[in-house]
Amino acid sequence: TRRVDFFIENKIMLEIKAVNELEDVHLAQAINYLEAYGLHFSAVGLLINFGGSSLKFKRVMKPYKKYTKAQQKLYNSKEQS
């Protein structure tokens, strides 16, 4: 079973790698985690690689899609509670 490495307050997904270089497949995996876990549209992820000659990271976001006013209202009400 594949699982994300860490979630921080259900808003930030943290995926850690130890490879020579981050590849597109690693980025795709991180984006899929954001979508699969059903995180809100404001959720972001960090893909961090410790395996190269220096630390590298990428900020990951769900692909942009237009949200309805009802979806935005629902999200905003959850944020305030």
Side-chain angles (χ1 to χ4, degrees):
T1 317
R2 297 206 174 257
R3 293 184 295 168
V4 68
D5 292 326
F6 297 98
F7 274 119
I8 303 166
E9 298 203 13
N10 287 328
K11 291 185 180 183
I12 301 172
M13 182 244 3
L14 180 61
E15 184 65 13
I16 298 173
K17 298 291 182 194
V19 294
N20 287 332
E21 191 172 322
L22 288 174
E23 297 178 8
D24 289 342
V25 67
H26 301 121
L27 185 58
Q29 179 186 30
I31 291 169
N32 284 337
Y33 284 152
L34 286 175
E35 292 179 345
Y37 281 87
L39 296 177
H40 298 296
F41 57 89
S42 66
V44 296
L46 291 174
L47 178 58
I48 300 176
N49 183 29
F50 291 96
S53 58
S54 65
L55 181 128
K56 303 269 183 176
F57 68 93
K58 290 188 178 196
R59 184 174 185 218
V60 181
M61 298 177 71
K62 288 170 69 170
Y64 175 78
K65 87 175 191 185
K66 189 164 178 125
Y67 291 91
T68 66
K69 288 185 180 184
Q71 288 172 314
Q72 290 176 357
K73 186 176 180 181
L74 176 64
Y75 172 73
N76 289 336
S77 69
K78 287 183 180 180
E79 283 290 302
Q80 293 175 359
S81 56

